[in-house]
Amino acid sequence: MQAQVRDAHGRSLNVPVRLPERTHVAVLGQARASGIEASTGMSADASSATHRRRTLMLAVCCMSLFMVGLDNTIVNVGLPAIGRDLHAGVSGLQWTVAAYTIVLAALLMLSGAIADRIGRRTIFQVGLSLFTLGSWMCSLAPSLDWLIAFRILQGVGGSMLNPAALGIITNTFTGRAERARAIGIWDGVFGLSMALGPVLGGVLVGTVGWRGIFWANIPVGLAAISLTALFVPDSKAPKSRRADPVGQCLLIVMLGSLAYAIIEGPTHGWYSPEIFGFFALSVAALAVLLAYEPRRAEPMIDLRFFRSVPFAGANLSAVCAIAAMAWFLFLSTLYLQDVRGLSALQAGLTILPMPVVMALCAPLAGRMVAKRGPRIPLVIAGAALTLSSAALSRLTGSTEHVYLIVSYGLFGVGAGMVSSPITNGVMSGVPRTQAGMASGMNSSSRQLGQSLGVAIVGSVLAASMRGSMQAGFVQASHAGWWILAGCGYVVLLLGLVCTTAWAKATAARLSPGR
């Protein structure tokens, strides 16, 4: 503040005067009351604008997950109709799901590395475009072979979505607690998409046929492309990795040959030279990959991340949990429609308790991780998955609906609780600059679980079933439900082991200060 005084010659001078702190506050308050904007007020507005923009960015990223989650559930609801219309057996239905998930699992790490190198927003938009185009082409597929081909195109686009989106979220929400809350919202959106999927899929299949299930992705994809261009800034890793074509090819060979051997095993015979050869090819590709990657300065799969017990445990938990979810949807859809004789809409409404409870539990799990860490939600998830799968192993052709609803709801508790601690464990166990690759590995583990889940349970079902679908399905599915229970028990054990002080120390050595 300045005061006006006169010097010895009578001239006026402006002299700065330092006011006491209380006087300064009073003057500042008068200035605000008079409509004069102070710098602190501008700072608050800027902070509010930044918060709104970050929230909008999270919403845009969640739209991609919503689209992918919706596609997973809707396609499973439409499988019986696809089988009838395109004359596909159990193996054909397995390929309809597995063609998409195998491509996702094989390309996710490459997509994460490319997103770190080229720009996360750019790869995110390309992925949205390919996924939307693939959805439209799936709706036009004239045969099962064409549908599988277009599902592969969907998989290529889908592989670019989660790594780029999670990289954007991780670099936008840098605090541990706020990142956990953001990831909880992210996982809650996935649960919401799964909640809407059965009902929307049932309505579409019942009104316009199975082709309509792919139409639902198109408006969401177009809206996400536009909003990303307007509101999401681009970001890159300070130092990105080089391409690894050899490692990428080895990964594709390993996953593709393993899935083929598992899916086609019941048809050709488990001991046939063809199936044995594909199993051997998968093992050989894995062995070469493990020997080759550590020799590269910038590997596609950075194996040193697996020295972090929480990171390794989170990926293994992802494989088991997502495999259980894939098995659940595959078995439940066929059971409700082909055994119980329900329509697609009735089947969707019956499955609805699972995704609804999942959507409610996912944000709760995010808050629990933010406040108390991942142990409690992981233990709850493992216990719920184990108990619900064991209960569903007792299904008969006339099981009461109340029993189904309670069992499905309990499974939803496990599915909702497991995702947030898994994602948080993966992303917090590596340097933030490698968020794209870490999220790619996390998503690859999830898609690997989904691919193996559908492949294994479908093969167990095909090998055990005798007679017609309605007569032999229930008894043949019992082994599948017990496999699900085993996966849930593994999640429970990993939740106890990977949250110990020893496990946290391994993560701290890998990523100090995280």
Side-chain angles (χ1 to χ4, degrees):
M1 186 173 179
Q2 292 183 334
Q4 196 174 64
V5 298
R6 294 184 180 276
D7 62 6
H9 302 286
R11 291 175 297 188
S12 296
L13 298 175
N14 290 326
V15 178
V17 177
R18 189 175 186 86
L19 295 178
E21 183 66 23
R22 292 181 180 178
T23 306
H24 176 73
V25 171
V27 172
L28 181 59
Q30 291 175 0
R32 287 179 178 171
S34 302
I36 301 174
E37 186 65 38
S39 60
T40 53
M42 293 176 63
S43 176
D45 289 343
S47 176
S48 177
T50 301
H51 177 72
R52 287 195 299 268
R53 186 178 184 88
R54 293 165 71 196
T55 302
L56 185 58
M57 289 167 56
L58 176 61
V60 173
C61 290
C62 286
M63 288 181 71
S64 69
L65 187 67
F66 179 87
M67 186 167 58
V68 173
L70 191 69
D71 183 80
N72 282 340
T73 314
I74 284 182
V75 170
N76 274 279
V77 171
L79 285 178
I82 293 173
R84 290 189 296 268
D85 190 28
L86 301 182
H87 309 289
V90 173
S91 63
L93 299 180
Q94 286 176 272
W95 279 118
T96 302
V97 177
Y100 171 75
T101 56
I102 289 170
V103 172
L104 268 178
L107 297 182
L108 277 166
M109 283 179 283
L110 174 64
S111 298
I114 294 176
D116 284 340
R117 185 181 186 88
I118 296 178
R120 298 182 179 104
R121 183 183 68 178
T122 302
I123 296 303
F124 187 62
Q125 287 181 299
V126 172
L128 287 169
S129 302
L130 290 177
F131 189 90
T132 305
L133 176 62
S135 299
W136 176 65
M137 296 180 75
C138 283
S139 70
L140 304 176
S143 66
L144 180 65
D145 292 339
W146 279 110
L147 177 60
I148 292 172
F150 296 146
R151 289 284 284 167
I152 290 174
L153 178 61
Q154 267 191 310
V156 174
S159 71
M160 301 179 184
L161 297 180
N162 281 15
L166 269 177
I168 292 170
I169 290 173
T170 303
N171 283 272
T172 301
F173 299 90
T174 56
R176 177 181 175 273
E178 66 174 0
R179 184 172 63 243
R181 285 191 293 268
I183 291 174
I185 294 172
W186 161 273
D187 291 323
V189 169
F190 182 73
L192 177 63
S193 68
M194 293 190 68
L196 293 176
V199 178
L200 182 59
V203 171
L204 291 173
V205 173
T207 54
V208 299
W210 65 265
R211 298 180 187 277
I213 63 181
F214 295 102
W215 296 345
N217 297 325
I218 297 175
V220 179
L222 294 176
I225 293 170
S226 302
L227 293 173
T228 301
L230 292 174
F231 299 108
V232 178
D234 210 353
S235 62
K236 303 177 183 179
K239 184 180 183 301
S240 57
R241 293 168 294 123
R242 296 178 181 177
D244 183 6
V246 175
Q248 185 63 58
C249 290
L250 288 170
L251 184 63
I252 292 173
V253 170
M254 181 192 74
L255 295 178
S257 57
L258 178 61
Y260 182 88
I262 294 174
I263 292 174
E264 299 297 333
T267 302
H268 297 280
W270 293 108
Y271 299 104
S272 66
E274 181 179 356
I275 299 303
F276 180 81
F278 275 100
F279 272 125
L281 179 60
S282 178
V283 173
L286 175 61
V288 175
L289 183 68
L290 294 177
Y292 173 78
E293 288 297 293
R295 300 174 183 270
R296 284 183 54 85
E298 297 178 336
M300 178 187 66
I301 304 176
D302 197 338
L303 298 177
R304 69 186 178 90
F305 288 166
F306 288 92
R307 298 173 188 169
S308 166
V309 173
F311 178 84
N315 279 284
L316 182 55
S317 296
V319 172
C320 293
I322 303 305
M325 292 174 61
W327 290 341
F328 171 86
L329 291 172
F330 191 82
L331 288 175
S332 296
T333 299
L334 294 179
Y335 168 75
L336 292 172
Q337 295 188 53
D338 290 339
V339 176
R340 301 295 291 263
L342 302 182
S343 67
L345 178 57
Q346 290 173 327
L349 291 173
T350 305
I351 295 175
L352 191 60
M354 189 282 282
V356 167
V357 174
M358 177 182 174
L360 294 174
C361 288
L364 175 62
R367 289 193 290 270
M368 292 172 69
V369 171
K371 291 182 178 180
R372 299 189 178 183
R375 169 172 283 199
I376 294 177
L378 279 175
V379 171
I380 293 174
L385 292 174
T386 302
L387 293 175
S388 60
S389 299
L392 290 169
S393 70
R394 299 174 60 86
L395 290 182
T396 66
S398 58
T399 300
E400 295 183 358
H401 270 71
V402 174
Y403 187 90
L404 288 175
I405 290 171
V406 173
S407 300
Y408 289 168
L410 183 58
F411 194 95
V413 173
M417 282 288 175
V418 76
S419 190
S420 184
I422 286 175
T423 304
N424 190 265
V426 169
M427 301 306 293
S428 63
V430 300
R432 190 175 294 117
T433 55
Q434 297 300 320
M437 184 175 71
S439 60
M441 296 175 73
N442 176 37
S443 299
S444 292
S445 298
R446 292 170 183 256
Q447 295 305 323
L448 177 62
Q450 186 166 358
S451 302
L452 294 179
V454 174
I456 293 173
V457 80
S459 296
V460 170
L461 188 64
S464 305
M465 196 161 57
R466 299 290 182 269
S468 64
M469 173 69 79
Q470 188 168 6
F473 178 89
V474 174
Q475 188 64 34
S477 67
H478 288 172
W481 289 117
W482 279 113
I483 295 174
L484 266 70
C487 287
Y489 190 64
V490 171
V491 171
L492 190 154
L493 292 179
L494 289 173
L496 293 174
V497 173
C498 297
T499 54
T500 60
W502 163 75
K504 294 176 183 178
T506 62
R509 287 195 295 269
L510 180 67
S511 182
R514 183 72 188 238

